[in-house]
Amino acid sequence: MRKMGGYSGFRILREGLTGNRGWRPAWRDPEPQQAYDFVIVGGGGHGLATAYYLASRYGEASVAVLEKGWIGGGNVGRNTTIIRSNYLLPGNEPFYEFSLQLWEGLEQDLNYNAMVSQRGVYNLYHSDGQRDAYRRRGNAMILHGADAELLDAAQLRAEIPFLNFDNGRFPIQGALVQRRGGTVRHDAVAWGYARGADRRGVDIIQNCEVTGFRIQNGRCTGVETSRGFIAARKVGCAVAGSSSRVMQAAGMRLPIESHVLQAFVSEGLKPVIPGVVTYGAGHFYISQSDKGGLVFGGDIDMYNSYAQRGNLPVVEDVCEGGMTLMPMIGRARMVRMWGGIMDMSMDGSPIIDRTPVDGLYFNGGWCYGGFKATPASGYCFAHLLATDTPHDTATAFRLDRFRRGMMIDEKGSGAQPNLH
Amino acid sequence: MIIEHPLLGPRDSQEFTCLGDASLLQRPDASADDAAETFFDYQYLRDNPAGTHRELWYHEMGDRSWLVVTRDTATHEILAVELASDVVTAGGRS
């Protein structure tokens, strides 16, 4: 392992007093070796986390992450930065709670300031039926060791007074709150994992596109890349958004469609939104970044897309939702909008599993829940790669569950990816 | 996106809902021996191409016809629009 200076307040002070000449790049830029034990395809949050946990928790020394462009340039840099573990079903909730616990210890673990901010996630309800459904969800969360709290309108008013409580069509009756939920600085997650993995000997190889898999007698022996063949004992793909395209090269068709999800940022404002607020009667959710911008989004555009940009009908729908919920934001100007490509799976839940090809492993189908899952996804994928058995919290995320009828469908909307 | 409806002319995509891959028109034979396998494939697996994609759109806020739209998923360009009933009939089904 290569030693490098840790980050600390003392270090900042020392560097400040000595002209900031001691800082070094946070990770190396190595040439690819001819062979590794583990090759991770995709240098996004999940791929980097996988490499980090392979090295730090499972003691693997020979690991490479291959990234087509630059690390963190995909969905880990394009999301709305929310973390939470407010799922209902037993196949999901333990995994997301594991992830939230990893978030809570992430910065100390990585020695990297990811600005994890547990400012609370408020899911609003607007009817008696929705309140009961949220109570059930909250109870399921508590049973799995997560935190949940049901607020009535008066309690919610005390915490978030500016909401449009008395809307004629969808009055706000209260909220299900997860106070341990919140936001994280998304880019710092990619950089923190990259630095942590690099310090433990992982080769992070950028500008290295995987163009195919070398499969002999049903076994994957390595990957063809734009920088030559790289042999590997095991190959793990974590390329959500492009899963179908990449796995097609291994002869696989997936239970996944790619869809575009848009997000928006307003001009910077003084602190106004205390936590993460989601509208229960429309597609709108919002938080405020530490820079002051309102970060918000809504539903996917509903049609297959790889374009990383959406269309105006959803922009209009999101802004209408925002104006209905908190009319004050109508005075803020929107400065940026963008789209990210989601692996929308057939039941709305992810896949972390082996594939029919020996030595080839798949991580994907994250729908629009991939960011919050980053630590547990990496941990569980590393566990699977290292031990060939699923991690205890990820036993339900099987690739063959659709064939077996073991769907994990939180919303009960069936095999219709754009409805999850 | 503007969808050139074969009967109604150019219509805003907001009037439609998108169901997904037009392969859903080719329902497998439920009485075949391998029906479990073919229905699994039909129901759950998708080509999900980055590029030309034939997909089903429903004119929900219009004439309620089903269309087969050929669209580039990388650019959102619409390349062709047909009535789904014409596609099915041309495929030999009634």
Side-chain angles (χ1 to χ4, degrees), chain A residues 244-245 253-258 302-307 309 311 313 316 346 402-403 407 415-416 418, chain B residues 1 14 18-21 37 40-41 43-50 53 55 57 71 73-76:
Chain A
S244 296
R245 279 203 282 184
R253 289 174 82 219
L254 298 175
I256 285 171
E257 291 180 3
S258 295
M302 295 283 172
Y303 46 81
N304 289 43
S305 175
Y306 284 90
R309 59 180 173 77
N311 276 302
E316 187 178 17
M346 285 289 165
F402 304 95
R403 190 187 294 273
M407 272 64 82
Q416 186 62 39
N418 59 5
Chain B
M1 292 186 291
Q14 269 187 288
C18 181
L19 181 71
D21 196 315
E37 191 59 30
F40 161 69
D41 194 292
Q43 176 81 333
Y44 293 114
L45 300 185
R46 298 287 182 269
D47 288 338
N48 192 23
H53 188 227
E55 54 201 19
W57 288 71
R71 200 175 52 89
T73 60
T75 63
H76 298 163

Side-chain angles (χ1 to χ4, degrees), chain A residues 4-5 22-23 33 47 50 80 98 132 140 249 284 320 350 370 394 399 417:
Chain A
M4 205 171 79
W23 301 112
Q33 297 172 25
T50 303
T80 45
F98 178 48
D132 293 347
F284 179 79
E320 284 172 354
L399 181 57

Side-chain angles (χ1 to χ4, degrees), chain A residues 6 33-34 58 68 81 115 121 157 171 176 186 210 232 256 264 274 283 288 320 375 401:
Chain A
Q33 297 172 25
Q34 288 183 340
Y58 296 93
K68 176 178 72 168
T81 80
M115 296 164 71
V121 174
R157 222 182 258 269
L176 180 69
H186 53 346
V210 170
I256 285 171
F264 311 86
H283 294 291
Q288 187 170 16
E320 284 172 354
R401 67 176 182 266

Side-chain angles (χ1 to χ4, degrees), chain A residues 286-331:
Chain A
I286 189 166
S287 65
Q288 187 170 16
S289 78
D290 290 342
K291 269 198 304 193
L294 304 181
V295 183
F296 57 98
D299 210 349
I300 55 175
D301 271 40
M302 295 283 172
Y303 46 81
N304 289 43
S305 175
Y306 284 90
Q308 288 193 321
R309 59 180 173 77
N311 276 302
L312 292 172
V314 168
V315 180
E316 187 178 17
D317 183 62
V318 169
C319 292
E320 284 172 354
M323 288 300 291
T324 309
L325 184 64
M326 42 180 84
M328 67 172 186
I329 65 168
R331 296 177 61 184

